[in-house]
Amino acid sequence: MQNFEQSDMLKRLPEQFFAKLVAKTQEVKEQGHDVINLGQGNPDLPTPEPIVKELQTAAENPVNHKYSPFQGFGYLKQAAADFYKREYDVSVDPEQEVTILFGAKAGLVELSQCFLNPGDTALLPDPGYPDYLSGIAMASAEPAFMPLQRENNFLPDYSAISEEALDCAKLMFLNYPNNPTAATATKTFYDETVALAKKHHICVVQDFAYGALGLDGQKPQSFLQSEGAKDIGIEIYTLSKTYNMAGWRVAFAVGNPSVVQSLNLIQDHLYVSLFGAVQSAAAAALNNDQTAVKQLAATYTERRDRFIRALNDIGWDVDIPEGTFFAWLPVPSDYTSEEFADLLLEKAHVVVAPGRGFGDYGEGYVRVGLLASAERLEEAAARIGRLEIFK
Ligand SMILES: Cc1ncc(COP(=O)(O)O)c(C=O)c1O
């Protein structure tokens, strides 16, 4: 059997930190233990029924059996534009300022291919969602990490970045509400970002994956609500978390027309477009009454409250997450995040994601997904309590 050598690009891809955790989890499951897996970011609840029904109907329409038009159906771009107007009072031109993506992940990786040449620099959060780094590595570009620290509400401290580094940077990735820290951003922060990006000619990519998941009834700010944001960047909006559609692979980007045009160009070479029935269901999701989204945020708020209360009961002193469906929990000082995650898996059969997997500044934390029922989350806390670590 021939062993074909990988391209340099594939060799440059960062190691999949969490692959080890997945394998260890599988081992513990195979030993017959009841594992509570809170280590991943996969929504546990189903897609609302009207969206599924729309997919079923649209799948029967022969129009959708053909290739979809390049760059997607106009009605989906219009639905995205209407959604931004209705939800955020932001006006975008559906043809020039919206592009449809095969999930946010694909768009985020494509953006680095669109704007970075070998040796260029991109600013990205540490800790952060790992795929920003994947795209940067594919483009042979250099990451410049912006630490997200608790004392700064997990927002990057722009004053700590040198003028030289800012002048070099071509792209900046942001993500609020934030995975993994569960922090949210303020309008003031986005206003500062716009001013900084203008001054240094940086293209800002704000990943709004958890845009619908403000807890306690709070509505997270869209980056595009800041004046001038469209001049210097885009926002990526996925349907994965808002409508529990992670398996459907549909998202869109809104904002700067030159960025939209570049994404359209690369996608013309990679794909035709999404299955028409998925586009039809995605448009229904965006156009429909949004009551189910509010209910979803309320469900996560309730899970968070019960989980945090249960952690406090066992003596684990933690911050209260503001957005997303994650909790970012400090690790006791005598463990690394990986050692602590291993301990919880082996002794409590609870899976959490070690913070180190999200970057150097993730060390000292573990991330918990509130992606099980409140009862299972309380059970996870009780099991951890029985280890008597926090007494
Ligand atoms: C911050 C962030 N961005 C993007 C994604 C990926 O979204 P999609 O399912 O649209 O690819 C995730 C998924 O976990 C995420 O946490």
Side-chain angles (χ1 to χ4, degrees):
M1 190 72 79
Q2 299 267 349
N3 191 13
F4 296 103
E5 197 184 342
Q6 294 180 338
S7 67
D8 292 344
M9 187 269 273
L10 282 192
K11 288 182 193 159
R12 278 196 307 275
L13 290 176
E15 188 201 353
Q16 289 278 8
F17 185 89
F18 294 108
K20 246 192 301 177
L21 182 71
V22 171
K24 280 187 212 161
T25 304
Q26 193 51 34
E27 249 172 60
V28 177
K29 270 191 191 159
E30 278 163 13
Q31 290 160 9
H33 296 295
D34 168 31
V35 171
I36 305 180
N37 191 345
L38 310 175
Q40 290 170 342
N42 205 348
D44 59 311
L45 294 169
T47 306
E49 202 174 312
I51 304 173
V52 177
K53 287 266 179 296
E54 179 58 33
L55 176 85
Q56 288 169 341
T57 308
E60 288 180 9
N61 184 346
V63 167
N64 293 325
H65 302 171
K66 301 181 174 184
Y67 289 116
S68 302
F70 272 96
Q71 298 170 20
F73 283 102
Y75 66 74
L76 177 53
K77 291 185 250 188
Q78 185 66 54
D82 292 345
F83 177 85
Y84 258 71
K85 183 69 194 162
R86 200 181 62 233
E87 295 292 323
Y88 304 110
D89 197 23
V90 166
S91 301
V92 286
D93 179 311
E95 285 306 320
Q96 304 301 320
E97 297 173 336
V98 178
T99 185
I100 297 165
L101 305 168
F102 275 83
K105 180 181 167 87
L108 290 162
V109 172
E110 285 159 21
L111 277 158
S112 286
Q113 320 313 304
C114 288
F115 296 108
L116 301 176
N117 290 316
D120 282 346
T121 307
L123 292 158
L124 70 166
D126 176 358
Y129 177 65
D131 286 329
Y132 310 137
L133 198 53
S134 309
I136 294 168
M138 279 186 201
S140 248
E142 300 297 328
F145 292 103
M146 303 185 290
L148 305 186
Q149 292 177 284
R150 183 170 182 263
E151 58 266 30
N152 209 22
N153 299 321
F154 298 108
L155 296 168
D157 176 4
Y158 293 143
S159 68
I161 309 173
S162 72
E163 288 287 304
E164 193 194 351
L166 290 167
D167 283 335
C168 279
K170 283 196 168 170
L171 273 184
M172 177 195 284
F173 290 94
L174 294 176
N175 163 224
Y176 292 98
N178 184 255
N179 173 10
T181 69
T184 53
T186 57
K187 179 160 188 308
T188 311
F189 168 74
Y190 284 143
D191 289 345
E192 279 168 26
T193 305
V194 171
L196 185 92
K198 269 198 178 144
K199 181 170 172 213
H200 296 279
H201 194 64
I202 300 170
C203 173
V204 176
V205 178
Q206 148 59 11
D207 177 359
F208 209 20
Y210 301 91
L213 302 184
L215 304 183
D216 303 307
Q218 300 286 325
K219 191 178 177 84
Q221 178 84 17
S222 157
F223 175 59
L224 295 184
Q225 285 173 300
S226 278
E227 207 180 321
K230 210 161 62 170
D231 297 339
I232 53 84
I234 56 159
E235 190 154 76
I236 309 261
Y237 197 102
T238 176
L239 278 68
S240 292
K241 322 286 167 158
T242 308
Y243 306 106
N244 298 323
M245 290 173 73
W248 298 54
R249 312 313 304 136
V250 53
F252 57 90
V254 260
N256 185 282
S258 72
V259 179
V260 163
Q261 212 179 12
S262 299
L263 281 168
N264 283 341
L265 178 61
I266 195 169
Q267 296 201 96
D268 283 352
H269 289 264
L270 288 171
Y271 322 109
V272 179
S273 183
L274 286 70
F275 177 32
V278 168
Q279 296 192 48
S280 188
L286 296 168
N287 288 332
N288 284 353
D289 174 90
Q290 303 290 303
T291 307
V293 182
K294 289 198 185 81
Q295 279 165 353
L296 184 66
T299 298
Y300 289 132
T301 304
E302 196 215 337
R303 288 179 180 183
R304 178 208 60 184
D305 289 345
R306 287 178 56 178
F307 183 59
I308 299 293
R309 209 176 304 132
L311 293 184
N312 288 336
D313 287 347
I314 65 164
W316 196 348
D317 184 19
V318 302
D319 288 335
I320 299 175
E322 290 176 4
T324 75
F325 47 51
F326 297 116
W328 187 236
L329 308 175
V331 167
S333 56
D334 27 359
Y335 299 91
T336 67
S337 60
E338 210 175 353
E339 286 165 355
F340 192 62
D342 282 348
L343 176 79
L344 298 192
L345 174 59
E346 283 158 23
K347 301 275 191 264
H349 308 137
V350 173
V351 186
V352 299
R356 177 69 187 75
F358 301 96
D360 289 349
Y361 282 85
E363 189 48 271
Y365 291 89
V366 289
R367 191 194 71 179
V368 168
L370 304 170
L371 299 169
S373 67
E375 291 73 27
R376 284 292 272 178
L377 290 164
E378 285 170 341
E379 161 73 12
R383 288 188 196 177
I384 296 169
R386 288 197 283 276
L387 304 181
E388 303 211 332
I389 300 165
F390 299 99
K391 292 282 176 217

